[in-house]
Amino acid sequence: MTRPRPWVIVPGIWNSDADHWQSHWQRAEGDRAVRIAPTSWSEPDPRDWSAAIDRAVAASAEPPVLVAHSLGVLAVASWLTEHDDGRVAGAFLVAPPDPAAPGFPVAAAGFTAPTGVVRTPTTLVVSDDDPYCSAERALAMASTLGASVVRIGPLQHVNVASGVGEWPDGRRLLEEFAAAL
């Protein structure tokens, strides 16, 4: 049996609170999972978030799996475009927001949709009724990245407000993804 890969948790804007699935998963994994630490969660700067991902990945003893949600998906996609060099084992991306959508936070205006294919194995998890990104737009992002797609039905933005709680189904998806790397 192989040892599970470490994770780098990349939340969205305002971080993931204690009830968010990312926080539940991080607590359950202990020191196997680390969260990025940008200088600002509420006024995110893409360069700062990229540097935070860099630091978290560099601190990992082996190539981790990036586990991103919402704005974190855009941060990871951008980071991978610049750092697709084998330092991470894979990227598990959940519920991307659409930077061109009217509800996209003004404070995150520097973040953009994915711009190119990445070699790192990547899965994009798509909710069919996400208010921050249509399924069609999310599928286009996956295509741009060259990512595989898992459609999970109507789970809104896959966050606390959508009622997924600890999201055990998502945890199983992540574990299956990581086991295949």
Side-chain angles (χ1 to χ4, degrees), residues 154-181:
L155 287 181
Q156 299 174 18
H157 196 52
V158 197
N159 57 7
V160 174
S162 64
V164 297
E166 294 181 28
W167 196 35
D169 291 339
R171 176 73 185 257
R172 280 189 289 280
L173 290 173
L174 171 58
E175 289 171 352
E176 290 168 6
F177 171 73
L181 298 174

Side-chain angles (χ1 to χ4, degrees), residues 36-160:
I36 66 165
T39 59
S40 175
W41 288 108
S42 60
E43 294 181 23
D45 175 273
R47 291 177 308 274
D48 176 44
W49 281 40
S50 180
I53 294 169
D54 245 355
R55 288 189 301 272
V57 168
S60 183
E62 62 185 277
V65 174
L66 302 177
V67 181
H69 177 256
S70 194
L71 190 64
V73 170
L74 301 182
V76 166
S78 177
W79 187 88
L80 283 174
T81 301
E82 297 175 18
H83 301 91
D84 198 12
D85 55 11
R87 289 192 285 160
V88 298
F92 185 79
L93 312 176
V94 179
D98 181 355
F104 192 75
V106 173
F111 288 79
T112 61
T115 59
V117 173
V118 297
R119 292 184 310 273
T120 299
T122 301
T123 289
L124 185 66
V125 180
V126 177
S127 171
D128 290 334
D129 64 348
D130 191 329
Y132 299 104
C133 185
S134 70
E136 178 180 290
R137 182 76 170 119
L139 295 174
M141 288 181 198
S143 178
T144 297
L145 288 169
S148 63
V149 173
V150 177
R151 292 186 74 163
I152 55 173
L155 287 181
Q156 299 174 18
H157 196 52
V158 197
N159 57 7
V160 174

